[in-house]
Amino acid sequence: MNSVELGALNAMSYCWNKHDDSFILARAVKAIAGVVKATFTKYTVSLIEAEAVMKRHPDAWFAEPVTWALAKYKITHATDTSRQPVTAGSPPPSSATAGSSPSLPQPPVNSPFSFSLKETDTTRVRFIDGFQTVADVKDAYKDMRTAAGDSWVANARLTCKQVTKDAVDDIAFNNKDHYAISKFLVTITHPNHRGESIEEVLHVMDKRTGQHKLVRIGSFCEVAGGSTTVGGGGFPGYSEESSTRAGLYLKNLKVKDQKGNDYFPYAQTRFGMGTYDGNNVGNMWSCGFDVLRLQLFQATGYKFSFQVLVAYLEEIISARGDAQELRRVLSNGHYPMSIHVMHLLLTGIASSSGYSNLLVEKRSVGEGRLTPDEREGLGLKSCTRQDILETTNWDYSSTAMICQPLYSFGIYRSKKSDGTFEYTVYDPHNFEGNPDFYASPKGQGRESFASAQDAINHVTGSKGGRNGKIDLFFRGPDAGLCFMRDRMMKTKGRLESEGKGF
């Protein structure tokens, strides 16, 4: 599907702006005709045509639904050098596999919905000349935060030090044909409330052009010292600091109930399961959220803490009319990563026609938990294992979350030095604190396979919670995850400005 349906007001806005070279009377007639058609039938417009009009009128009413539709179908995804070369403006190869993203023209290179490393991505990227001093990195970082609208950072106290780059950094940026050269850790102390937060800045070099760049990449860490989670390699993994901090944030969260009164929905919640600490946070809680965090970094180039992820989820819930009921369900269920939570996180990132983001294998536990109507309401498609394998386009969705009862795992595709790909299973369940869990390419935390089928079969046949079936398979489009990244970065900035975390 390469079109978008517009409601009455958006149709009027589109028709009015499309005919901006006509006389006012003619424009008014066209706009009224659009309203009538949208009201009594359907008003659809080609995404290609709508994008052209939107470039002339980016602030028009119709721009919002068109922008979302462009993100859904990846028309605004930047040129990805890990894919086959395509000339800008030409259509993708016609030999796309079943279930691939729609065949639309190659998008502009500087899209907000992309893992882009262009000079014009001023909120995250700075082009530089060779190697940088710590002072240079601090100045570039302040410039990027100012471009992102975080004006308070200009008056904040910043410290910066060079730290060891991790395997996860090399993997993510190698997939974008960039060398990860070195990494810096920036600590930001707010000028007013003195709250601290951290962020990593990566020095990379474009393999094709030799251009050096500094890139903001966020952080998985929850502590100002910047210590990584146990297991090595820089993967998010499970950590007590991560879960405890997210749990404390939720316990102290004050929101409005249906009557407009303040209340604390998670004050008595026991998060996760297993052994609980003094804050009622279990040692088996964050695996699904950790998998999503790794998906976001692999697909978007930005790391988020567990606390930022739950804060973003709570922002989505607060905007809904059934917020109180949703929070009651989450509290009773120990705040899990479930199909309902994933559905909430996908707000505004609906899948394209024929390419579902959420799948479940037939005759699995996940399928049996929901009625057909409930699955339809959540956008969950029930299919065979072969359907999942044949319709997943890893050019469109380079990462996936695969769930079994009580356990979640990640699968991401990475580019090898010879240009071929491998599929790595990410296991966040390092409960024994093994320091080599991720540090070694042969560690149990990241095992690689020649095909997606081998990787999936390994999870369903060998990993924790296995029952031989896929209870949930989330294959979010990279462009959609980049859309999520941009909104989550605003959540992160809000928490920093309020002194509530990273």
Side-chain angles (χ1 to χ4, degrees):
M1 182 178 177
N2 60 356
S3 61
V4 58
E5 182 179 348
L6 300 177
L9 290 178
N10 287 319
M12 178 180 68
S13 171
Y14 174 75
C15 294
W16 174 264
N17 288 288
K18 177 182 178 182
H19 300 283
D20 54 2
D21 58 347
S22 302
F23 291 112
I24 292 179
L25 181 59
R27 294 179 72 184
V29 171
K30 294 287 187 181
I32 293 171
V35 171
V36 172
K37 185 174 181 181
T39 301
F40 295 101
T41 57
K42 286 185 178 181
Y43 189 93
T44 58
V45 60
S46 161
L47 284 177
I48 300 171
E49 185 177 5
E51 184 188 26
V53 180
M54 187 174 67
K55 286 180 178 179
R56 302 199 307 269
H57 304 282
D59 297 323
W61 287 343
F62 77 92
E64 182 176 354
V66 170
T67 298
W68 283 18
L70 289 172
K72 295 173 192 175
Y73 304 119
K74 224 172 94 176
I75 192 170
T76 52
H77 194 283
T79 301
D80 182 345
T81 55
S82 71
R83 299 181 174 88
Q84 293 297 319
V86 181
T87 304
S90 65
S94 58
S95 58
T97 59
S100 63
S101 53
S103 297
L104 296 175
Q106 190 71 15
V109 294
N110 183 35
S111 163
F113 308 120
S114 66
F115 185 166
S116 174
L117 296 171
K118 301 295 179 181
E119 188 172 15
T120 42
D121 292 320
T122 55
T123 63
R124 295 185 300 110
V125 180
R126 278 291 181 276
F127 278 32
I128 57 175
D129 297 321
F131 293 89
Q132 301 286 287
T133 65
V134 167
D136 293 332
V137 174
K138 286 170 59 177
D139 290 341
Y141 181 78
K142 281 191 173 183
D143 289 342
M144 287 186 277
R145 292 300 298 264
T146 299
D150 301 321
S151 57
W152 61 269
V153 177
N155 299 316
R157 181 172 67 86
L158 268 65
T159 60
C160 181
K161 63 180 180 180
Q162 187 167 347
V163 294
T164 303
K165 66 183 178 72
D166 295 301
V168 72
D169 304 320
D170 289 318
I171 294 166
F173 282 83
N174 180 65
N175 285 340
K176 294 297 175 183
D177 285 342
H178 280 68
Y179 292 112
I181 297 174
S182 59
K183 185 164 68 173
F184 299 85
L185 181 69
V186 180
T187 303
I188 310 100
T189 304
H190 197 283
N192 298 329
H193 52 61
R194 316 307 295 173
E196 284 189 328
S197 58
I198 58 173
E199 185 163 11
E200 298 167 13
V201 176
L202 201 63
H203 176 188
V204 303
M205 185 183 75
D206 192 314
K207 294 180 180 180
R208 299 165 302 162
T209 66
Q211 175 65 56
H212 288 251
K213 308 170 187 180
L214 289 176
V215 187
R216 287 176 60 197
I217 63 170
S219 178
F220 291 134
C221 302
E222 308 277 357
V223 292
S227 58
T228 57
T229 52
V230 175
F235 288 75
Y238 172 81
S239 76
E240 291 186 9
E241 293 94 343
S242 179
S243 289
T244 298
R245 195 175 184 95
L248 283 174
Y249 175 82
L250 290 170
K251 280 185 175 293
N252 293 321
L253 182 69
K254 183 170 67 174
V255 296
K256 299 289 185 183
D257 64 16
Q258 291 176 332
K259 296 180 180 179
N261 299 318
D262 291 336
Y263 82 115
F264 297 87
Y266 305 113
Q268 305 302 320
T269 303
R270 302 191 78 189
F271 297 99
M273 61 187 67
T275 303
Y276 290 88
D277 62 16
N279 296 306
N280 263 342
V281 177
N283 68 339
M284 297 179 65
W285 179 26
S286 58
C287 63
F289 294 99
D290 285 339
V291 170
L292 180 58
R293 291 198 287 155
L294 182 65
Q295 283 187 274
L296 283 163
F297 182 53
Q298 290 292 324
T300 76
Y302 202 86
K303 304 174 183 178
F304 292 99
S305 70
F306 188 10
Q307 180 180 340
V308 171
L309 184 52
V310 297
Y312 172 67
L313 174 59
E314 288 298 322
E315 288 177 348
I316 293 174
I317 293 174
S318 291
R320 293 175 58 102
D322 56 349
Q324 188 169 342
E325 175 62 17
L326 286 171
R327 289 185 168 117
R328 185 190 65 80
V329 172
L330 282 173
S331 179
N332 291 343
H334 309 294
Y335 215 97
M337 171 58 77
S338 64
I339 176 61
H340 297 88
V341 169
M342 187 58 68
H343 181 70
L344 288 170
L345 289 169
L346 288 171
T347 300
I349 312 177
S351 59
S352 61
S353 177
Y355 193 83
S356 298
N357 293 332
L358 298 169
L359 306 170
V360 64
E361 189 171 0
K362 288 183 179 296
R363 293 181 293 281
S364 67
V365 174
E367 181 189 43
R369 285 179 177 150
L370 300 170
T371 67
D373 287 344
E374 287 173 329
R375 290 198 296 271
E376 182 178 357
L378 292 168
L380 181 63
K381 182 179 179 181
S382 179
C383 53
T384 66
R385 175 78 60 93
Q386 195 61 29
D387 288 335
I388 294 173
L389 291 169
E390 290 181 354
T391 65
T392 299
N393 179 2
W394 293 89
D395 283 333
Y396 186 55
S397 308
S398 63
T399 66
M401 180 189 299
I402 181 170
C403 303
Q404 301 181 127
L406 306 181
Y407 286 81
S408 298
F409 302 88
I411 297 178
Y412 62 86
R413 188 183 74 166
S414 55
K415 194 174 186 180
K416 298 167 65 176
S417 58
D418 61 2
T420 60
F421 296 100
E422 63 183 1
Y423 299 81
T424 300
V425 173
Y426 165 63
D427 184 346
H429 308 97
N430 184 22
F431 294 121
E432 296 180 359
N434 181 350
D436 297 321
F437 202 64
Y438 306 114
S440 170
K442 295 183 179 180
Q444 292 182 352
R446 56 178 180 123
E447 300 172 278
S448 297
F449 301 86
S451 70
Q453 180 174 358
D454 290 342
I456 292 172
N457 289 345
H458 177 67
V459 172
T460 59
S462 303
K463 286 294 187 180
R466 60 187 179 273
N467 61 6
K469 295 289 184 179
I470 299 173
D471 289 298
L472 178 65
F473 191 80
F474 166 59
R475 53 183 188 187
D478 288 1
L481 292 178
C482 286
F483 187 46
M484 186 186 296
R485 172 204 64 196
D486 292 344
R487 292 185 293 179
M488 288 180 65
M489 287 181 73
K490 293 180 180 179
T491 301
K492 177 180 183 292
R494 175 182 65 79
L495 293 177
E496 286 179 304
S497 66
E498 296 173 356
K500 295 181 180 178
F502 300 91

Coordinates of all heavy atoms in Angstrom, one line a residue, residues 10-48:
N10 N -8.0 17.1 7.3 CA -6.7 16.9 6.6 C -6.9 16.9 5.1 O -6.0 17.4 4.4 CB -6.1 15.6 7.1 CG -5.6 15.7 8.5 OD1 -5.0 16.8 8.9 ND2 -5.8 14.7 9.3
A11 N -8.0 16.3 4.6 CA -8.3 16.4 3.1 C -8.4 17.8 2.7 O -7.9 18.2 1.6 CB -9.5 15.5 2.8
M12 N -9.2 18.6 3.4 CA -9.3 20.0 3.1 C -8.0 20.7 3.0 O -7.7 21.5 2.1 CB -10.3 20.7 4.1 CG -10.5 22.2 3.8 SD -11.5 23.0 5.0 CE -10.5 22.9 6.5
S13 N -7.2 20.5 4.1 CA -5.8 21.1 4.1 C -5.0 20.7 2.9 O -4.3 21.5 2.3 CB -5.2 20.7 5.4 OG -3.8 21.1 5.5
Y14 N -5.0 19.4 2.6 CA -4.2 18.9 1.5 C -4.6 19.5 0.2 O -3.8 20.0 -0.6 CB -4.3 17.3 1.4 CG -3.6 16.8 0.2 CD1 -2.3 16.6 0.2 CD2 -4.4 16.3 -0.9 CE1 -1.6 16.1 -0.9 CE2 -3.7 15.8 -2.0 CZ -2.3 15.7 -2.0 OH -1.7 15.2 -3.1
C15 N -5.9 19.5 -0.1 CA -6.4 20.1 -1.4 C -6.1 21.6 -1.5 O -5.7 22.0 -2.5 CB -7.9 19.8 -1.5 SG -8.4 18.1 -1.7
W16 N -6.3 22.3 -0.4 CA -6.0 23.7 -0.4 C -4.5 24.0 -0.7 O -4.2 24.8 -1.5 CB -6.4 24.3 1.0 CG -6.0 25.7 1.1 CD1 -4.9 26.3 1.7 CD2 -6.7 26.9 0.7 NE1 -4.9 27.6 1.7 CE2 -6.0 28.0 1.0 CE3 -7.9 27.0 0.0 CZ2 -6.4 29.3 0.7 CZ3 -8.4 28.3 -0.3 CH2 -7.6 29.4 0.1
N17 N -3.6 23.2 -0.1 CA -2.2 23.4 -0.3 C -1.7 22.8 -1.6 O -0.7 23.4 -2.1 CB -1.4 22.9 0.9 CG -1.6 23.7 2.2 OD1 -1.1 24.8 2.3 ND2 -2.4 23.2 3.1
K18 N -2.3 21.8 -2.0 CA -1.9 21.2 -3.3 C -2.0 22.2 -4.4 O -1.2 22.2 -5.4 CB -2.6 19.9 -3.6 CG -2.3 19.2 -4.9 CD -3.2 18.0 -5.1 CE -2.8 17.4 -6.5 NZ -3.7 16.2 -6.8
H19 N -3.1 22.9 -4.4 CA -3.4 23.9 -5.5 C -3.0 25.3 -5.1 O -3.8 26.2 -5.4 CB -4.9 23.8 -5.8 CG -5.4 22.4 -6.2 ND1 -5.1 21.9 -7.5 CD2 -6.0 21.4 -5.5 CE1 -5.6 20.7 -7.6 NE2 -6.2 20.4 -6.4
D20 N -1.8 25.4 -4.5 CA -1.4 26.7 -4.1 C -1.1 27.7 -5.2 O -0.8 28.9 -5.0 CB -0.2 26.6 -3.2 CG 0.9 25.8 -3.8 OD1 0.8 25.4 -4.9 OD2 1.9 25.6 -3.1
D21 N -1.0 27.2 -6.5 CA -0.7 28.0 -7.6 C -2.0 28.5 -8.3 O -2.0 29.1 -9.4 CB 0.2 27.3 -8.6 CG -0.4 26.0 -9.1 OD1 -1.4 25.5 -8.5 OD2 0.1 25.4 -10.1
S22 N -3.2 28.1 -7.8 CA -4.5 28.5 -8.4 C -5.1 29.7 -7.7 O -4.6 30.1 -6.6 CB -5.5 27.3 -8.2 OG -5.0 26.2 -8.9
F23 N -6.1 30.3 -8.3 CA -6.8 31.4 -7.7 C -7.5 30.9 -6.4 O -7.8 29.7 -6.2 CB -7.8 32.0 -8.6 CG -7.2 32.7 -9.8 CD1 -7.3 32.2 -11.1 CD2 -6.5 33.9 -9.6 CE1 -6.7 32.8 -12.2 CE2 -5.9 34.5 -10.7 CZ -6.0 34.0 -12.0
I24 N -7.8 31.9 -5.5 CA -8.4 31.5 -4.2 C -9.7 30.8 -4.4 O -10.0 29.8 -3.7 CB -8.6 32.8 -3.3 CG1 -7.2 33.3 -2.9 CG2 -9.4 32.5 -2.1 CD1 -7.3 34.6 -2.1
L25 N -10.6 31.2 -5.3 CA -11.8 30.6 -5.5 C -11.7 29.1 -5.9 O -12.4 28.2 -5.4 CB -12.7 31.4 -6.5 CG -14.1 30.8 -6.8 CD1 -14.9 30.8 -5.5 CD2 -14.8 31.6 -7.9
A26 N -10.8 28.9 -6.8 CA -10.5 27.6 -7.3 C -10.0 26.7 -6.2 O -10.4 25.5 -6.0 CB -9.5 27.6 -8.5
R27 N -9.1 27.2 -5.4 CA -8.5 26.5 -4.2 C -9.7 26.1 -3.3 O -9.7 25.0 -2.7 CB -7.5 27.3 -3.5 CG -6.2 27.5 -4.3 CD -5.2 28.4 -3.6 NE -4.6 27.6 -2.5 CZ -3.7 28.1 -1.6 NH1 -3.4 29.4 -1.7 NH2 -3.1 27.4 -0.7
A28 N -10.6 27.1 -3.0 CA -11.7 26.8 -2.1 C -12.6 25.7 -2.6 O -13.0 24.8 -1.8 CB -12.4 28.1 -1.8
V29 N -12.9 25.7 -3.9 CA -13.7 24.7 -4.5 C -13.1 23.3 -4.3 O -13.7 22.3 -4.0 CB -14.0 25.0 -6.0 CG1 -14.7 23.8 -6.6 CG2 -14.9 26.3 -6.1
K30 N -11.8 23.2 -4.6 CA -11.0 22.0 -4.5 C -11.1 21.5 -3.0 O -11.2 20.3 -2.7 CB -9.6 22.1 -5.0 CG -9.5 22.4 -6.4 CD -9.7 21.2 -7.3 CE -9.4 21.5 -8.8 NZ -9.7 20.3 -9.6
A31 N -10.8 22.4 -2.1 CA -10.8 22.0 -0.7 C -12.1 21.5 -0.2 O -12.2 20.5 0.5 CB -10.4 23.2 0.2
I32 N -13.2 22.2 -0.6 CA -14.6 21.7 -0.2 C -14.9 20.4 -0.8 O -15.4 19.5 -0.2 CB -15.6 22.8 -0.7 CG1 -15.5 24.0 0.1 CG2 -17.0 22.2 -0.5 CD1 -16.3 25.2 -0.4
A33 N -14.4 20.1 -2.1 CA -14.6 18.8 -2.7 C -13.9 17.7 -1.9 O -14.4 16.6 -1.8 CB -14.2 18.9 -4.2
G34 N -12.7 18.1 -1.4 CA -12.0 17.1 -0.6 C -12.7 16.7 0.6 O -12.7 15.6 1.0
V35 N -13.3 17.7 1.3 CA -14.0 17.5 2.5 C -15.2 16.6 2.3 O -15.5 15.7 3.0 CB -14.5 18.8 3.1 CG1 -15.4 18.6 4.3 CG2 -13.3 19.7 3.6
V36 N -16.0 16.9 1.2 CA -17.2 16.1 0.9 C -16.8 14.7 0.6 O -17.4 13.7 1.1 CB -17.9 16.7 -0.3 CG1 -19.0 15.8 -0.8 CG2 -18.4 18.1 0.0
K37 N -15.7 14.5 -0.2 CA -15.3 13.1 -0.5 C -14.9 12.3 0.8 O -15.2 11.2 1.0 CB -14.2 13.1 -1.5 CG -13.8 11.7 -2.0 CD -12.8 11.8 -3.1 CE -12.5 10.4 -3.6 NZ -11.5 10.4 -4.7
A38 N -14.1 13.0 1.6 CA -13.6 12.4 2.9 C -14.7 12.0 3.8 O -14.7 11.0 4.5 CB -12.6 13.2 3.5
T39 N -15.8 12.9 3.8 CA -16.9 12.7 4.7 C -17.8 11.5 4.3 O -18.2 10.7 5.1 CB -17.7 14.0 4.8 OG1 -16.9 15.0 5.3 CG2 -18.9 13.8 5.8
F40 N -18.1 11.4 3.0 CA -19.1 10.4 2.6 C -18.5 9.2 1.9 O -19.2 8.2 1.8 CB -20.0 11.1 1.6 CG -20.8 12.2 2.2 CD1 -20.5 13.5 2.0 CD2 -21.9 11.9 3.0 CE1 -21.2 14.6 2.6 CE2 -22.7 12.9 3.5 CZ -22.3 14.2 3.4
T41 N -17.2 9.2 1.5 CA -16.6 8.0 1.0 C -15.2 7.9 1.7 O -15.1 7.9 2.9 CB -16.4 8.1 -0.5 OG1 -15.7 9.2 -0.9 CG2 -17.8 8.1 -1.2
K42 N -14.2 7.8 0.9 CA -12.8 7.8 1.4 C -11.9 8.8 0.5 O -12.1 8.8 -0.7 CB -12.2 6.4 1.3 CG -12.7 5.4 2.4 CD -11.9 4.1 2.3 CE -12.4 3.2 3.4 NZ -11.6 1.9 3.4
Y43 N -11.0 9.5 1.2 CA -10.1 10.3 0.4 C -8.7 9.8 0.7 O -8.1 9.9 1.8 CB -10.2 11.8 0.9 CG -9.5 12.7 0.0 CD1 -10.1 13.4 -1.0 CD2 -8.1 13.0 0.2 CE1 -9.4 14.2 -1.9 CE2 -7.4 13.8 -0.6 CZ -8.1 14.5 -1.7 OH -7.4 15.3 -2.5
T44 N -8.1 9.2 -0.3 CA -6.8 8.7 -0.3 C -5.9 9.4 -1.2 O -6.4 9.9 -2.3 CB -6.7 7.2 -0.6 OG1 -7.3 6.9 -1.9 CG2 -7.5 6.4 0.4
V45 N -4.6 9.5 -0.9 CA -3.7 10.2 -1.8 C -2.4 9.4 -1.8 O -2.0 8.8 -0.8 CB -3.5 11.7 -1.3 CG1 -2.9 11.7 0.1 CG2 -2.6 12.4 -2.2
S46 N -1.7 9.5 -2.9 CA -0.4 8.8 -3.1 C 0.6 9.4 -2.1 O 0.7 10.6 -2.0 CB 0.1 9.0 -4.5 OG 1.4 8.7 -4.6
L47 N 1.4 8.6 -1.5 CA 2.4 9.0 -0.5 C 3.5 9.9 -1.3 O 4.0 10.9 -0.8 CB 3.1 7.9 0.2 CG 2.3 7.2 1.3 CD1 3.1 6.0 1.9 CD2 2.0 8.2 2.4
I48 N 3.8 9.5 -2.5 CA 4.8 10.2 -3.3 C 4.3 11.6 -3.6 O 5.0 12.6 -3.4 CB 5.1 9.5 -4.6 CG1 5.7 8.1 -4.3 CG2 6.1 10.3 -5.4 CD1 5.8 7.2 -5.5

